[in-house]
Amino acid sequence: MSSTPGPDVSVVVPTYNRAGLLRHTLDSLTRQTLPAGRFEVLVVDDGSTDDTTRLVTEYEDRLTLRYFAHPDEGYRVARARNTGITNARGGVCVLVDSGVLLHSGALRAHLDSHAASDRPVAVCGYVFCFNEDNEDGAEIERAIDYADPDSFMAGLRSERRWLDIREEFYEKYGEDFAALPAPWLVWWTCNVSARTEQLRSVGLFDDAYRAWGAEDVDLSYRLHRDGAVFVMNRDACAVHVPHGKSYTENMRSVAANYRYFASKYGTPITSLVDGNHFFAINDIIRERGLPGCAEHLAAERALADGPDGPPRQVLVFSPHQDDEVIACGGTLARRAAEGARVQIVFSTDGSRSHQAVLGIDSDPTPEELAGIRQKEAEAAARALGLGPDGVQFLGFTDTALAEALPEFRARVRAVLEAHPEVEEVFLPHEIRELNADHRLTGEVVLDCLRELGLTPRLRKFVVWDEQTEAEFGFTNRSEPDRAVPGGGERLLSLDIREHLDTKRAALAEHRTQVTLYCPAQDRPVVPDVFAARVRAREVEQFWVPV
């Protein structure tokens, strides 16, 4: 029996207390020339208290529509879009906002742009009537023909009224602007698209953005670094229906986000986002001769090696068996290929992964699972190219590391005392990581390094964030969230393409985590969507001191 093919396009629409605006968007989706069976709509509600839920039900018989509701925890549009992308079944995701009135040919036009290219593309749809301060809002709202938006847009185009705010950019650089050093500056999520798998592989939206603005710029920058070609398609057009907003408040909000973005990546180009008009940044880049993404990734690699070349001795502190591959498998394979002595130190025994995540405690039992996972970790280390002494197991109980803190601290200190010449240490971030075992591992390693006066290059990774929690359906936090440091660190990106197959092979050795290992399982411990991102990601990222 053949399975029913999935849709070509997934339309992701985040919303919050905008039922009236959402209705316009859903109405426009019912008029698409792309056949209804070729697209789905995912509405993600960020905690609305208005009539949104009832409104969505009105369209369930006219659209292939799925509705996801989040609790109201403040401005979380990045998380809302991630929910849509994570659950998307289409090969292409079209991202639109509530109140975006799409032309009937918009989805087909988005899809055409992707079909026309052998390379992944990031499509900028055209948006009429976008006002920064809603200055023409009342006039625009009176003029919109909701019954025939196609004719309305055709009139705007011929009369050159209320054109896309980016028209200045397009007129300056042309519509074929992919060769610009920073084409990602105009990929704004009111009406854009990209391949679903690429959105997932580059890590989706950064949920650290908790106020208006810049979360789309962050993602588009990563799409660019991952090889996406940016294109503009005027046929993928829409009207931005006016709504109340304050330019002053938005600029105040986005200023902090631009600073975060600049410090997160720490490149000469990303630093320009804070304090420069977007439409001038490409000129500034060229005037200053700043390195593009490819050159910057090469520079990152040189920076990771340090002035004396690649490190000769490397320690990796991994909370659980498989975190070492997920977080830094490609970089470790590179270090091993360069001849470094790499040793992975596992904090816990991995005995409770099935019990904690899946509620399974037999066949295998936790005790049996601990032994199996130790052998898997040894096999994964061999796959990465590590020597026979490449792993060490501290053996503390999985999910309960905090209960053995004094002994754990002593064991970590002993490991570091045995490696006084260590030049590079990989460890979980002591704040950005949410899982208790991860965070505690990072904290203790940092404390012991300070106590011993050791100063290796630090590579802090994040495996367990809110998205990971949601996908695993498992939470293990031992203390209230703490504020992420505002300065003193930046994100180091390392290209691992030449070692990606090795990383995938090492991940496959963790069979208890990535396969249906025991008879009672109906899903792997590591969700398929999470594992797919790990296998596809061509860059590994680490927070490093500045």
Side-chain angles (χ1 to χ4, degrees):
M1 181 182 297
S2 62
S3 59
T4 303
D8 296 313
V9 176
S10 295
V11 185
V12 177
V13 189
T15 192
Y16 176 70
N17 284 338
R18 289 183 174 175
L21 291 172
L22 179 62
R23 180 182 294 279
H24 297 315
T25 302
L26 297 180
D27 278 342
S28 71
L29 288 167
T30 66
R31 302 187 185 105
Q32 292 298 299
T33 59
L34 189 69
R38 295 183 63 186
F39 72 93
E40 64 173 350
V41 180
L42 298 90
V43 175
V44 189
D45 189 343
D46 198 24
S48 296
T49 55
D50 64 0
D51 209 21
T52 294
T53 303
R54 187 197 60 77
L55 171 69
V56 170
T57 63
E58 294 181 19
Y59 290 85
E60 290 178 341
D61 61 344
R62 288 183 277 170
L63 295 167
T64 302
L65 191 152
R66 287 186 284 159
Y67 175 67
F68 302 85
H70 290 173
D72 186 356
E73 297 176 353
Y75 186 91
R76 304 296 295 277
V77 72
R79 181 183 64 169
R81 292 196 185 104
N82 286 346
T83 294
I85 298 166
T86 300
N87 287 279
R89 294 186 291 238
V92 169
C93 272
V94 173
L95 309 177
V96 299
D97 286 338
S98 293
V100 169
L101 187 62
L102 290 164
H103 188 280
S104 65
L107 295 189
R108 187 181 292 276
H110 274 288
L111 195 57
D112 287 347
S113 287
H114 290 275
S117 175
D118 293 333
R119 297 175 60 186
V121 296
V123 181
C124 300
Y126 197 86
V127 183
F128 292 99
C129 303
F130 183 88
N131 283 177
E132 289 184 307
D133 204 22
N134 205 28
E135 54 269 23
D136 298 327
E139 186 181 356
I140 291 171
E141 195 159 12
R142 287 192 299 270
I144 293 175
D145 186 347
Y146 293 103
D148 189 4
D150 288 7
S151 295
F152 175 65
M153 284 180 252
L156 293 179
R157 181 171 293 172
S158 65
E159 298 167 12
R160 296 191 61 79
R161 295 181 66 206
W162 296 319
L163 298 177
D164 193 312
I165 195 172
R166 294 163 293 187
E167 191 67 51
E168 174 188 344
F169 181 92
Y170 300 141
E171 290 181 355
K172 182 176 184 179
Y173 298 111
E175 296 180 14
D176 184 13
F177 57 89
L180 289 175
W184 42 273
L185 287 164
V186 291
W187 194 81
W188 302 345
T189 45
C190 48
N191 177 19
V192 295
S193 65
R195 292 185 184 180
T196 304
E197 186 49 51
Q198 189 178 32
L199 289 168
R200 292 171 178 166
S201 70
V202 300
L204 303 180
F205 289 91
D206 182 347
D207 194 37
Y209 292 95
R210 303 290 177 83
W212 183 88
E215 78 283 344
D216 47 4
V217 174
D218 187 305
L219 178 55
S220 62
Y221 175 66
R222 283 180 277 123
L223 289 172
H224 177 59
R225 295 211 313 194
D226 195 51
V229 178
F230 284 75
V231 301
M232 190 268 277
N233 189 330
R234 288 183 182 272
D235 292 331
C237 62
V239 171
H240 191 284
V241 178
H243 60 82
K245 56 185 169 182
S246 167
Y247 176 78
T248 301
E249 288 301 317
N250 283 348
M251 290 303 99
R252 183 179 296 117
S253 165
V254 81
N257 288 348
Y258 287 159
R259 289 193 294 272
Y260 169 71
F261 172 77
S263 65
K264 174 178 175 179
Y265 296 105
T267 76
I269 288 178
T270 58
S271 67
L272 296 174
V273 168
D274 181 19
N276 291 286
H277 195 285
F278 275 20
F279 298 171
I281 287 177
N282 281 282
D283 290 341
I284 296 172
I285 294 169
R286 287 169 166 169
E287 289 166 3
R288 298 182 183 177
L290 299 178
C293 281
E295 294 88 348
H296 179 71
L297 286 172
E300 294 279 82
R301 180 165 178 159
L303 176 63
D305 289 341
D308 300 321
R312 295 174 295 277
Q313 189 173 81
V314 178
L315 282 177
V316 184
F317 287 89
S318 179
H320 310 103
Q321 294 86 352
D322 73 1
D323 290 323
E324 82 289 3
V325 178
I326 292 169
C328 45
T331 306
L332 299 185
R334 179 189 163 209
R335 291 293 184 239
E338 293 166 342
R341 298 189 304 276
V342 180
Q343 185 174 74
I344 303 168
V345 181
F346 294 101
S347 303
T348 68
D349 59 6
S351 62
R352 295 185 179 179
S353 64
H354 282 63
Q355 185 180 65
V357 178
L358 304 175
I360 298 170
D361 59 3
S362 61
D363 196 17
T365 66
E367 293 75 18
E368 292 169 334
L369 184 59
I372 295 167
R373 292 194 70 185
Q374 180 168 325
K375 290 182 172 59
E376 289 178 342
E378 291 168 346
R382 289 194 296 272
L384 292 175
L386 276 59
D389 61 345
V391 293
Q392 181 174 350
F393 302 93
L394 302 187
F396 293 95
T397 303
D398 187 13
T399 74
L401 189 58
E403 298 173 13
L405 182 56
E407 185 181 357
F408 175 60
R409 186 181 296 276
R411 295 288 302 278
V412 169
R413 182 182 173 104
V415 170
L416 291 170
E417 286 176 330
H419 297 82
E421 297 180 355
V422 62
E423 297 173 60
E424 186 174 52
V425 172
F426 293 83
L427 70 161
H429 199 288
E430 76 282 11
I431 297 176
R432 296 178 190 273
E433 282 277 6
L434 299 182
N435 182 283
D437 289 351
H438 288 234
R439 182 180 285 188
L440 190 58
T441 296
E443 289 177 352
V444 169
V445 171
L446 289 174
D447 286 346
C448 291
L449 286 169
R450 284 190 288 265
E451 291 170 5
L452 295 170
L454 300 179
T455 57
R457 295 194 290 276
L458 299 180
R459 309 291 181 237
K460 300 181 183 180
F461 55 78
V462 177
V463 169
W464 207 272
D465 55 15
E466 289 179 333
Q467 182 187 347
T468 307
E469 281 186 338
E471 291 174 351
F472 274 71
F474 171 66
T475 301
N476 179 31
R477 301 193 195 187
S478 62
E479 58 182 300
D481 288 344
R482 291 175 289 170
V484 174
E489 291 183 339
R490 76 173 188 86
L491 205 58
L492 174 70
S493 297
L494 299 181
D495 188 333
I496 62 163
R497 281 174 291 184
E498 62 183 294
H499 299 288
L500 186 54
D501 286 342
T502 300
K503 176 173 180 170
R504 291 168 178 161
L507 183 63
E509 294 293 347
H510 289 287
R511 293 180 176 84
T512 59
Q513 306 303 294
V514 299
T515 69
L516 299 178
Y517 189 82
C518 72
Q521 284 185 249
D522 58 8
R523 53 152 279 197
V525 172
V526 175
D528 288 337
V529 65
F530 179 92
R533 284 203 308 278
V534 173
R535 295 185 186 104
R537 191 173 295 135
E538 297 179 344
V539 171
E540 288 177 342
Q541 295 185 315
F542 307 99
W543 290 95
V544 299
V546 294

